[in-house]
Amino acid sequence: MNQYLSKQVADLKPSGIRKFFDLAAQMDDVISLGVGEPDFVTPWTFIEQSFHALEQGYTSYTENAGMIELREQISGYLQKHYALDYQPDDQVIVTVGASQAIDLALRTIVNPGDEVIVVEPSFVAYVPAISLAGGTPVTIQTKAEDAFKLKPEQIEEAITPNTKAIMLCNPNNPTGTFLTKDELEPLAAVIEKHDLIVLSDEIYAELTYDENYTSFPSIARMKERTILISGFSKAFAMTGWRLGYATGPAELISAMVKIHQYTMMCAPTMAQHAALEALKNGRQSLQDMVDSYKQRRNFIVSSLNEIGLDCPNPGGAFYAFPSIQATGLTSAEFAEELLQEEQVAVVPGDVFGANGEGYIRCSYATSLKQLDEAMERMKRFVTKRLEKAPVHAEASN
Amino acid sequence: MMEHEVELLKLIEKNANLSVDKLAKLMGKKPAEIEEMIAHLEEKKAILGYSTLIDWAKVANEEEVTAMVDVKVTPARGVGFDKVAERIYRFPEVKAVYLMSGAYDLSVSVRGNTMMEIGRFISEKLSTLESVLSTTTHFVLKKYKHDGIILEDEDDDDKRIVVSP
């Protein structure tokens, strides 16, 4: 049947994560640090509010751009926390997860041949989403010695006459790298100089632990060229509800709404009601989860370093991204052997980009009990490897 | 109170079984610092004890009965309700005593092995105290949640897929 596939789809590479998922799913007693979502169940009050909305008969479509009450809440939330001013009526769209917002944003701005810059290691969906939108992905490889932080000169090097846009993800999945205002401003200068559009994926914005978060469009003159993408999945533990949003200049958002109305109609109504409750009354739940992530981050980072895997302290998201180079294994070998021998699932870093080779992504969105057990198992595994590869072990110290 | 003391208290309130080493790692501190904080908090009685929440219904031959007793009392001049509260909370059968707003004065939680035992305590000890005007006893039939913990929460498996982007 392959001859019937569109060329675009046939050319898409299957996700490296998928392969690993299939392997892990067959095994018993797996402790997974491979999950890119919170371990918390959605706070009860959001669920209960969604029940209530269903009981009240809110089972029909909403406006294409999402319920106006929800867009008002999103607007108010961005104003309150990030000093951003977006009009609920034409600068906010509610989407089916941030993933759909990424797809809509790309389809809104990309013409065939346009290049869109992706900063690797990156979330696995950016590159295929750009291709599906008809664009050409151009990747930048951040460097381990820069703590995987994007440098302005790297953007300069990637720019060609065809460059249309750049995708930023702060804090980053998979590295947990967090860029502060001082680090974002030089990037903004290059972006302005070359007149790029920015797709700023800020889905992990609430999950930062040491310093205040700066939303990219809040940087001077960036709002008019940025589509801010976020959602409820990570901060409010609502991944399965599939609810995200985008904000930006009215012309771009209304173009996104146009695609959305023909391809999706609207985001699920019951999820929109739950999200409304999240923004109105979810602050304490969110704070409790953030406190817990921070503690677990401290725990996993110090454990990984103790084991002998060099791991810098990630400023955000819920991922640690330790180097496994001391073991002498590739990322894929490490992940596969660890899974087979100790039943711990981590994601090999190379699935997030070539420069992720030599690293693994460990999600700490897992109970402390499970994390503790996972670290014990990894310690056994790594100790054996370090004995075999003493030279590497020394080099990492 | 310092912010990190509050963090420590919240952690051990949820799980008093965490080792000092683990607490140190979770909070990004040294074990010695944690020990010092705990000693300090114990000394000023912010930490009063370490208990374990047990579902006695699951332990054979160790069933227990709990009653919540609404008690109306006459407060005494100068000491208010404190004196009579003390007379009541000194009894080992009494597990909790609260001064309440509303229709009665003291809420007293009493625990015993049988309903008879509790009945005897209330009629012989509690209601015969001089300042006690009346008692209304409510027996607990089933515990669903206690101190923030759901007792029969069997469906707490991780429902996430094993690996996701």
Side-chain angles (χ1 to χ4, degrees), chain A residues 60-120:
Chain A
S60 48
Y61 298 129
T62 69
E63 289 167 77
N64 295 128
M67 297 183 332
I68 186 66
E69 300 93 313
L70 179 56
R71 283 181 281 144
E72 280 165 0
Q73 282 291 329
I74 291 168
S75 167
Y77 160 84
L78 292 174
Q79 175 68 253
K80 184 172 175 197
H81 294 281
Y82 306 110
L84 290 167
D85 183 21
Y86 287 110
Q87 295 308 310
D89 51 347
D90 61 355
Q91 296 185 317
V92 180
I93 175 174
V94 178
T95 58
V96 181
S99 294
Q100 194 216 355
I102 292 167
D103 180 42
L104 289 177
L106 286 166
R107 284 200 277 165
T108 293
I109 59 164
V110 169
N111 283 313
D114 282 349
E115 291 176 1
V116 179
I117 298 174
V118 172
V119 185
E120 289 186 334

Short mmCIF file of all heavy atoms in Angstrom, two decimals, chain A residues 60-120:
data_model
loop_
_atom_site.label_atom_id
_atom_site.label_comp_id
_atom_site.label_asym_id
_atom_site.label_seq_id
_atom_site.Cartn_x
_atom_site.Cartn_y
_atom_site.Cartn_z
N SER A 60 -21.72 20.68 23.78
CA SER A 60 -21.70 21.07 22.37
C SER A 60 -20.39 21.77 22.01
O SER A 60 -19.52 21.92 22.85
CB SER A 60 -22.88 22.00 22.10
OG SER A 60 -22.94 23.00 23.09
N TYR A 61 -20.28 22.19 20.75
CA TYR A 61 -19.09 22.95 20.33
C TYR A 61 -18.97 24.24 21.14
O TYR A 61 -19.95 24.75 21.65
CB TYR A 61 -19.21 23.39 18.86
CG TYR A 61 -19.30 22.28 17.85
CD1 TYR A 61 -20.32 22.30 16.89
CD2 TYR A 61 -18.36 21.27 17.80
CE1 TYR A 61 -20.41 21.31 15.92
CE2 TYR A 61 -18.44 20.28 16.82
CZ TYR A 61 -19.46 20.30 15.88
OH TYR A 61 -19.54 19.34 14.93
N THR A 62 -17.77 24.77 21.18
CA THR A 62 -17.62 26.15 21.68
C THR A 62 -17.26 27.01 20.47
O THR A 62 -17.14 26.50 19.35
CB THR A 62 -16.50 26.27 22.73
OG1 THR A 62 -15.24 26.06 22.06
CG2 THR A 62 -16.65 25.25 23.84
N GLU A 63 -17.06 28.30 20.71
CA GLU A 63 -16.53 29.14 19.64
C GLU A 63 -15.24 28.51 19.11
O GLU A 63 -14.52 27.87 19.87
CB GLU A 63 -16.20 30.53 20.19
CG GLU A 63 -17.40 31.36 20.52
CD GLU A 63 -16.99 32.58 21.33
OE1 GLU A 63 -16.46 33.54 20.74
OE2 GLU A 63 -17.18 32.54 22.57
N ASN A 64 -14.92 28.75 17.86
CA ASN A 64 -13.72 28.15 17.27
C ASN A 64 -12.47 28.45 18.08
O ASN A 64 -11.64 27.57 18.32
CB ASN A 64 -13.50 28.66 15.84
CG ASN A 64 -14.61 28.22 14.90
OD1 ASN A 64 -15.19 29.04 14.21
ND2 ASN A 64 -14.91 26.93 14.88
N ALA A 65 -12.34 29.68 18.50
CA ALA A 65 -11.12 30.08 19.21
C ALA A 65 -11.14 29.65 20.67
O ALA A 65 -10.16 29.85 21.39
CB ALA A 65 -10.94 31.59 19.13
N GLY A 66 -12.21 29.01 21.10
CA GLY A 66 -12.34 28.60 22.50
C GLY A 66 -13.33 29.50 23.23
O GLY A 66 -13.60 30.61 22.78
N MET A 67 -13.85 29.01 24.35
CA MET A 67 -14.82 29.80 25.13
C MET A 67 -14.21 31.15 25.49
O MET A 67 -13.07 31.21 25.93
CB MET A 67 -15.17 29.07 26.45
CG MET A 67 -15.84 27.74 26.25
SD MET A 67 -16.35 26.90 27.79
CE MET A 67 -15.23 27.46 29.01
N ILE A 68 -15.00 32.18 25.35
CA ILE A 68 -14.46 33.52 25.63
C ILE A 68 -14.05 33.65 27.10
O ILE A 68 -13.04 34.28 27.41
CB ILE A 68 -15.44 34.64 25.19
CG1 ILE A 68 -14.80 36.02 25.35
CG2 ILE A 68 -16.77 34.56 25.92
CD1 ILE A 68 -13.62 36.30 24.46
N GLU A 69 -14.79 32.99 28.01
CA GLU A 69 -14.41 33.05 29.44
C GLU A 69 -13.01 32.47 29.63
O GLU A 69 -12.22 32.98 30.42
CB GLU A 69 -15.38 32.23 30.32
CG GLU A 69 -16.81 32.66 30.27
CD GLU A 69 -17.61 31.87 29.22
OE1 GLU A 69 -17.12 31.74 28.07
OE2 GLU A 69 -18.71 31.41 29.55
N LEU A 70 -12.72 31.41 28.91
CA LEU A 70 -11.41 30.79 29.05
C LEU A 70 -10.33 31.68 28.44
O LEU A 70 -9.25 31.88 29.02
CB LEU A 70 -11.39 29.40 28.39
CG LEU A 70 -10.04 28.65 28.45
CD1 LEU A 70 -9.54 28.49 29.89
CD2 LEU A 70 -10.17 27.27 27.80
N ARG A 71 -10.63 32.26 27.28
CA ARG A 71 -9.64 33.16 26.67
C ARG A 71 -9.39 34.38 27.56
O ARG A 71 -8.26 34.87 27.67
CB ARG A 71 -10.11 33.59 25.28
CG ARG A 71 -9.90 32.47 24.25
CD ARG A 71 -10.34 32.88 22.86
NE ARG A 71 -11.78 32.81 22.70
CZ ARG A 71 -12.50 33.66 21.97
NH1 ARG A 71 -11.93 34.68 21.37
NH2 ARG A 71 -13.80 33.51 21.86
N GLU A 72 -10.43 34.84 28.24
CA GLU A 72 -10.24 35.96 29.17
C GLU A 72 -9.35 35.55 30.34
O GLU A 72 -8.47 36.31 30.76
CB GLU A 72 -11.61 36.43 29.71
CG GLU A 72 -12.34 37.33 28.74
CD GLU A 72 -13.83 37.51 29.06
OE1 GLU A 72 -14.30 36.94 30.07
OE2 GLU A 72 -14.50 38.23 28.30
N GLN A 73 -9.57 34.35 30.82
CA GLN A 73 -8.74 33.86 31.93
C GLN A 73 -7.28 33.70 31.50
O GLN A 73 -6.37 34.03 32.24
CB GLN A 73 -9.26 32.51 32.44
CG GLN A 73 -10.49 32.60 33.33
CD GLN A 73 -10.20 33.24 34.68
OE1 GLN A 73 -9.10 33.12 35.21
NE2 GLN A 73 -11.17 33.94 35.22
N ILE A 74 -7.08 33.19 30.29
CA ILE A 74 -5.71 33.01 29.78
C ILE A 74 -5.04 34.37 29.66
O ILE A 74 -3.89 34.57 30.08
CB ILE A 74 -5.73 32.28 28.42
CG1 ILE A 74 -6.17 30.82 28.61
CG2 ILE A 74 -4.35 32.34 27.73
CD1 ILE A 74 -6.50 30.09 27.32
N SER A 75 -5.79 35.31 29.11
CA SER A 75 -5.26 36.67 28.95
C SER A 75 -4.88 37.26 30.32
O SER A 75 -3.80 37.82 30.49
CB SER A 75 -6.32 37.53 28.25
OG SER A 75 -5.99 38.88 28.34
N GLY A 76 -5.78 37.09 31.30
CA GLY A 76 -5.53 37.61 32.64
C GLY A 76 -4.33 36.94 33.30
O GLY A 76 -3.52 37.58 33.97
N TYR A 77 -4.23 35.66 33.08
CA TYR A 77 -3.13 34.88 33.66
C TYR A 77 -1.79 35.34 33.09
O TYR A 77 -0.82 35.55 33.82
CB TYR A 77 -3.39 33.40 33.35
CG TYR A 77 -2.20 32.49 33.42
CD1 TYR A 77 -1.79 31.95 34.65
CD2 TYR A 77 -1.49 32.14 32.28
CE1 TYR A 77 -0.70 31.09 34.71
CE2 TYR A 77 -0.41 31.29 32.33
CZ TYR A 77 -0.01 30.77 33.55
OH TYR A 77 1.08 29.94 33.60
N LEU A 78 -1.72 35.54 31.76
CA LEU A 78 -0.46 35.98 31.14
C LEU A 78 -0.11 37.39 31.59
O LEU A 78 1.06 37.72 31.77
CB LEU A 78 -0.58 35.90 29.61
CG LEU A 78 -0.69 34.48 29.04
CD1 LEU A 78 -0.96 34.52 27.54
CD2 LEU A 78 0.57 33.67 29.32
N GLN A 79 -1.12 38.19 31.78
CA GLN A 79 -0.91 39.56 32.28
C GLN A 79 -0.33 39.52 33.68
O GLN A 79 0.67 40.16 33.98
CB GLN A 79 -2.26 40.30 32.25
CG GLN A 79 -2.23 41.69 32.85
CD GLN A 79 -1.41 42.66 32.00
OE1 GLN A 79 -0.31 43.04 32.39
NE2 GLN A 79 -1.93 43.05 30.84
N LYS A 80 -0.96 38.72 34.53
CA LYS A 80 -0.58 38.69 35.94
C LYS A 80 0.82 38.12 36.14
O LYS A 80 1.61 38.65 36.91
CB LYS A 80 -1.61 37.84 36.70
CG LYS A 80 -1.35 37.82 38.19
CD LYS A 80 -2.49 37.14 38.93
CE LYS A 80 -2.12 37.03 40.41
NZ LYS A 80 -2.94 36.06 41.10
N HIS A 81 1.13 37.03 35.45
CA HIS A 81 2.38 36.33 35.74
C HIS A 81 3.54 36.75 34.85
O HIS A 81 4.70 36.62 35.23
CB HIS A 81 2.17 34.82 35.66
CG HIS A 81 1.24 34.32 36.72
ND1 HIS A 81 1.65 34.11 38.01
CD2 HIS A 81 -0.08 34.04 36.68
CE1 HIS A 81 0.62 33.70 38.73
NE2 HIS A 81 -0.44 33.65 37.95
N TYR A 82 3.26 37.22 33.65
CA TYR A 82 4.36 37.51 32.73
C TYR A 82 4.29 38.92 32.15
O TYR A 82 5.01 39.24 31.21
CB TYR A 82 4.38 36.46 31.60
CG TYR A 82 4.42 35.05 32.14
CD1 TYR A 82 3.32 34.20 32.02
CD2 TYR A 82 5.55 34.59 32.83
CE1 TYR A 82 3.34 32.92 32.55
CE2 TYR A 82 5.56 33.31 33.38
CZ TYR A 82 4.46 32.48 33.23
OH TYR A 82 4.49 31.22 33.78
N ALA A 83 3.37 39.74 32.69
CA ALA A 83 3.21 41.12 32.23
C ALA A 83 2.98 41.19 30.72
O ALA A 83 3.52 42.06 30.03
CB ALA A 83 4.43 41.95 32.63
N LEU A 84 2.19 40.25 30.20
CA LEU A 84 1.88 40.23 28.77
C LEU A 84 0.46 40.71 28.56
O LEU A 84 -0.44 40.36 29.32
CB LEU A 84 2.02 38.81 28.22
CG LEU A 84 3.44 38.26 28.15
CD1 LEU A 84 3.40 36.75 27.90
CD2 LEU A 84 4.22 38.97 27.04
N ASP A 85 0.27 41.48 27.50
CA ASP A 85 -1.05 42.05 27.25
C ASP A 85 -1.61 41.49 25.94
O ASP A 85 -1.20 41.90 24.86
CB ASP A 85 -0.88 43.59 27.17
CG ASP A 85 -2.20 44.28 27.00
OD1 ASP A 85 -3.24 43.67 27.33
OD2 ASP A 85 -2.20 45.43 26.53
N TYR A 86 -2.50 40.51 26.04
CA TYR A 86 -3.13 39.93 24.85
C TYR A 86 -4.65 40.09 24.96
O TYR A 86 -5.22 39.84 26.02
CB TYR A 86 -2.80 38.44 24.73
CG TYR A 86 -1.37 38.17 24.30
CD1 TYR A 86 -0.45 37.63 25.19
CD2 TYR A 86 -0.96 38.45 23.00
CE1 TYR A 86 0.87 37.38 24.79
CE2 TYR A 86 0.36 38.19 22.59
CZ TYR A 86 1.25 37.66 23.50
OH TYR A 86 2.55 37.41 23.10
N GLN A 87 -5.27 40.52 23.86
CA GLN A 87 -6.71 40.71 23.85
C GLN A 87 -7.41 39.35 23.70
O GLN A 87 -7.12 38.63 22.74
CB GLN A 87 -7.13 41.62 22.68
CG GLN A 87 -6.60 43.03 22.80
CD GLN A 87 -6.92 43.66 24.14
OE1 GLN A 87 -8.06 43.63 24.60
NE2 GLN A 87 -5.90 44.19 24.82
N PRO A 88 -8.33 39.03 24.62
CA PRO A 88 -8.99 37.72 24.56
C PRO A 88 -9.76 37.51 23.25
O PRO A 88 -9.87 36.39 22.77
CB PRO A 88 -9.96 37.73 25.74
CG PRO A 88 -9.66 38.94 26.52
CD PRO A 88 -8.75 39.83 25.77
N ASP A 89 -10.28 38.58 22.66
CA ASP A 89 -11.15 38.37 21.49
C ASP A 89 -10.40 38.05 20.21
O ASP A 89 -10.89 37.30 19.38
CB ASP A 89 -12.11 39.55 21.29
CG ASP A 89 -11.37 40.88 21.30
OD1 ASP A 89 -10.18 40.90 21.70
OD2 ASP A 89 -11.96 41.90 20.88
N ASP A 90 -9.19 38.55 20.03
CA ASP A 90 -8.53 38.24 18.75
C ASP A 90 -7.04 37.90 18.86
O ASP A 90 -6.36 37.75 17.85
CB ASP A 90 -8.74 39.39 17.74
CG ASP A 90 -8.13 40.69 18.24
OD1 ASP A 90 -7.64 40.73 19.39
OD2 ASP A 90 -8.16 41.69 17.48
N GLN A 91 -6.53 37.76 20.08
CA GLN A 91 -5.11 37.43 20.20
C GLN A 91 -4.86 36.14 20.99
O GLN A 91 -3.73 35.85 21.36
CB GLN A 91 -4.36 38.59 20.86
CG GLN A 91 -4.40 39.86 20.00
CD GLN A 91 -3.57 40.99 20.57
OE1 GLN A 91 -3.60 41.23 21.78
NE2 GLN A 91 -2.82 41.67 19.72
N VAL A 92 -5.93 35.39 21.23
CA VAL A 92 -5.81 34.14 21.98
C VAL A 92 -6.60 33.05 21.25
O VAL A 92 -7.74 33.27 20.85
CB VAL A 92 -6.39 34.28 23.41
CG1 VAL A 92 -6.25 32.97 24.19
CG2 VAL A 92 -5.73 35.42 24.17
N ILE A 93 -5.98 31.88 21.09
CA ILE A 93 -6.71 30.72 20.55
C ILE A 93 -6.48 29.53 21.47
O ILE A 93 -5.35 29.30 21.92
CB ILE A 93 -6.29 30.39 19.10
CG1 ILE A 93 -6.99 29.09 18.63
CG2 ILE A 93 -4.78 30.24 18.94
CD1 ILE A 93 -6.75 28.75 17.18
N VAL A 94 -7.56 28.83 21.76
CA VAL A 94 -7.48 27.62 22.58
C VAL A 94 -7.37 26.43 21.63
O VAL A 94 -8.13 26.32 20.67
CB VAL A 94 -8.73 27.47 23.47
CG1 VAL A 94 -8.68 26.18 24.28
CG2 VAL A 94 -8.86 28.68 24.39
N THR A 95 -6.39 25.57 21.89
CA THR A 95 -6.08 24.49 20.94
C THR A 95 -6.14 23.12 21.61
O THR A 95 -6.25 23.02 22.84
CB THR A 95 -4.66 24.68 20.37
OG1 THR A 95 -3.74 24.71 21.47
CG2 THR A 95 -4.56 25.97 19.57
N VAL A 96 -6.03 22.09 20.79
CA VAL A 96 -6.01 20.72 21.31
C VAL A 96 -4.56 20.39 21.68
O VAL A 96 -3.80 19.86 20.88
CB VAL A 96 -6.56 19.74 20.26
CG1 VAL A 96 -6.55 18.31 20.81
CG2 VAL A 96 -7.97 20.13 19.86
N GLY A 97 -4.19 20.77 22.87
CA GLY A 97 -2.81 20.62 23.32
C GLY A 97 -1.93 21.68 22.69
O GLY A 97 -2.28 22.30 21.67
N ALA A 98 -0.76 21.89 23.29
CA ALA A 98 0.21 22.81 22.69
C ALA A 98 0.67 22.24 21.35
O ALA A 98 1.05 22.98 20.45
CB ALA A 98 1.39 23.01 23.63
N SER A 99 0.61 20.93 21.22
CA SER A 99 1.03 20.29 19.96
C SER A 99 0.24 20.83 18.77
O SER A 99 0.81 21.13 17.73
CB SER A 99 0.82 18.77 20.03
OG SER A 99 1.68 18.22 20.98
N GLN A 100 -1.06 20.95 18.93
CA GLN A 100 -1.85 21.49 17.83
C GLN A 100 -1.50 22.96 17.59
O GLN A 100 -1.50 23.41 16.44
CB GLN A 100 -3.35 21.35 18.08
CG GLN A 100 -4.18 21.59 16.80
CD GLN A 100 -5.51 22.29 17.03
OE1 GLN A 100 -5.91 22.55 18.18
NE2 GLN A 100 -6.18 22.63 15.95
N ALA A 101 -1.21 23.68 18.65
CA ALA A 101 -0.84 25.08 18.49
C ALA A 101 0.45 25.20 17.67
O ALA A 101 0.58 26.09 16.82
CB ALA A 101 -0.66 25.74 19.87
N ILE A 102 1.38 24.29 17.89
CA ILE A 102 2.64 24.29 17.12
C ILE A 102 2.32 24.03 15.65
O ILE A 102 2.80 24.75 14.75
CB ILE A 102 3.60 23.20 17.66
CG1 ILE A 102 4.09 23.56 19.06
CG2 ILE A 102 4.78 22.99 16.71
CD1 ILE A 102 4.77 22.43 19.81
N ASP A 103 1.50 23.04 15.39
CA ASP A 103 1.11 22.70 14.03
C ASP A 103 0.41 23.88 13.34
O ASP A 103 0.75 24.26 12.22
CB ASP A 103 0.21 21.46 14.06
CG ASP A 103 -0.23 21.03 12.67
OD1 ASP A 103 0.61 21.04 11.75
OD2 ASP A 103 -1.42 20.70 12.50
N LEU A 104 -0.54 24.48 14.06
CA LEU A 104 -1.28 25.62 13.48
C LEU A 104 -0.35 26.79 13.18
O LEU A 104 -0.43 27.42 12.13
CB LEU A 104 -2.38 26.09 14.43
CG LEU A 104 -3.59 25.20 14.62
CD1 LEU A 104 -4.53 25.81 15.66
CD2 LEU A 104 -4.33 25.00 13.30
N ALA A 105 0.53 27.07 14.14
CA ALA A 105 1.43 28.21 13.98
C ALA A 105 2.33 28.00 12.76
O ALA A 105 2.52 28.92 11.95
CB ALA A 105 2.28 28.40 15.23
N LEU A 106 2.85 26.79 12.63
CA LEU A 106 3.73 26.51 11.49
C LEU A 106 2.96 26.61 10.17
O LEU A 106 3.43 27.23 9.21
CB LEU A 106 4.37 25.12 11.64
CG LEU A 106 5.47 25.05 12.70
CD1 LEU A 106 5.80 23.60 13.03
CD2 LEU A 106 6.73 25.80 12.22
N ARG A 107 1.78 26.02 10.13
CA ARG A 107 1.01 26.07 8.88
C ARG A 107 0.58 27.49 8.54
O ARG A 107 0.33 27.82 7.38
CB ARG A 107 -0.20 25.15 8.98
CG ARG A 107 0.23 23.69 8.84
CD ARG A 107 -0.92 22.82 8.45
NE ARG A 107 -1.70 22.42 9.60
CZ ARG A 107 -2.92 21.91 9.51
NH1 ARG A 107 -3.50 21.77 8.34
NH2 ARG A 107 -3.56 21.54 10.61
N THR A 108 0.48 28.31 9.58
CA THR A 108 0.08 29.70 9.36
C THR A 108 1.18 30.53 8.71
O THR A 108 0.90 31.41 7.90
CB THR A 108 -0.33 30.33 10.71
OG1 THR A 108 -1.52 29.68 11.15
CG2 THR A 108 -0.59 31.82 10.60
N ILE A 109 2.42 30.23 9.05
CA ILE A 109 3.49 31.13 8.59
C ILE A 109 4.39 30.55 7.49
O ILE A 109 5.10 31.30 6.82
CB ILE A 109 4.40 31.58 9.76
CG1 ILE A 109 5.03 30.37 10.45
CG2 ILE A 109 3.62 32.42 10.76
CD1 ILE A 109 6.21 30.74 11.33
N VAL A 110 4.36 29.22 7.30
CA VAL A 110 5.36 28.62 6.42
C VAL A 110 4.88 28.53 4.97
O VAL A 110 3.78 28.05 4.71
CB VAL A 110 5.75 27.21 6.94
CG1 VAL A 110 6.57 26.45 5.90
CG2 VAL A 110 6.53 27.32 8.24
N ASN A 111 5.71 29.00 4.04
CA ASN A 111 5.53 28.75 2.61
C ASN A 111 6.52 27.68 2.20
O ASN A 111 7.57 27.52 2.84
CB ASN A 111 5.80 30.02 1.80
CG ASN A 111 4.63 30.98 1.88
OD1 ASN A 111 3.47 30.59 1.71
ND2 ASN A 111 4.93 32.25 2.15
N PRO A 112 6.23 26.95 1.09
CA PRO A 112 7.20 25.95 0.65
C PRO A 112 8.58 26.59 0.47
O PRO A 112 8.70 27.67 -0.10
CB PRO A 112 6.64 25.48 -0.70
CG PRO A 112 5.18 25.76 -0.62
CD PRO A 112 5.04 26.98 0.23
N GLY A 113 9.58 25.94 1.00
CA GLY A 113 10.94 26.46 0.87
C GLY A 113 11.38 27.33 2.04
O GLY A 113 12.57 27.59 2.20
N ASP A 114 10.43 27.77 2.84
CA ASP A 114 10.82 28.57 4.01
C ASP A 114 11.58 27.69 5.00
O ASP A 114 11.22 26.54 5.24
CB ASP A 114 9.57 29.10 4.74
CG ASP A 114 8.97 30.30 4.03
OD1 ASP A 114 9.64 30.84 3.11
OD2 ASP A 114 7.85 30.69 4.39
N GLU A 115 12.61 28.28 5.57
CA GLU A 115 13.36 27.54 6.58
C GLU A 115 12.94 27.96 7.99
O GLU A 115 12.73 29.13 8.26
CB GLU A 115 14.87 27.80 6.41
CG GLU A 115 15.41 27.18 5.12
CD GLU A 115 16.88 27.51 4.86
OE1 GLU A 115 17.50 28.21 5.70
OE2 GLU A 115 17.38 27.07 3.82
N VAL A 116 12.82 26.95 8.84
CA VAL A 116 12.50 27.21 10.24
C VAL A 116 13.60 26.58 11.09
O VAL A 116 13.95 25.41 10.91
CB VAL A 116 11.13 26.62 10.62
CG1 VAL A 116 10.82 26.88 12.10
CG2 VAL A 116 10.03 27.19 9.73
N ILE A 117 14.14 27.39 11.98
CA ILE A 117 15.26 26.92 12.81
C ILE A 117 14.75 26.18 14.05
O ILE A 117 13.83 26.66 14.73
CB ILE A 117 16.14 28.12 13.25
CG1 ILE A 117 16.76 28.79 12.01
CG2 ILE A 117 17.24 27.67 14.21
CD1 ILE A 117 17.51 30.07 12.32
N VAL A 118 15.34 25.02 14.30
CA VAL A 118 15.03 24.24 15.49
C VAL A 118 16.31 24.10 16.31
O VAL A 118 17.37 23.83 15.76
CB VAL A 118 14.51 22.84 15.11
CG1 VAL A 118 14.36 21.96 16.34
CG2 VAL A 118 13.19 22.94 14.37
N VAL A 119 16.18 24.30 17.60
CA VAL A 119 17.35 24.26 18.47
C VAL A 119 17.41 22.88 19.14
O VAL A 119 16.58 22.54 19.96
CB VAL A 119 17.25 25.36 19.55
CG1 VAL A 119 18.52 25.38 20.39
CG2 VAL A 119 17.01 26.71 18.90
N GLU A 120 18.40 22.10 18.73
CA GLU A 120 18.53 20.74 19.29
C GLU A 120 19.55 20.70 20.43
O GLU A 120 20.48 21.50 20.43
CB GLU A 120 18.95 19.77 18.18
CG GLU A 120 17.82 19.54 17.19
CD GLU A 120 18.14 18.47 16.14
OE1 GLU A 120 19.33 18.25 15.83
OE2 GLU A 120 17.18 17.88 15.63
#
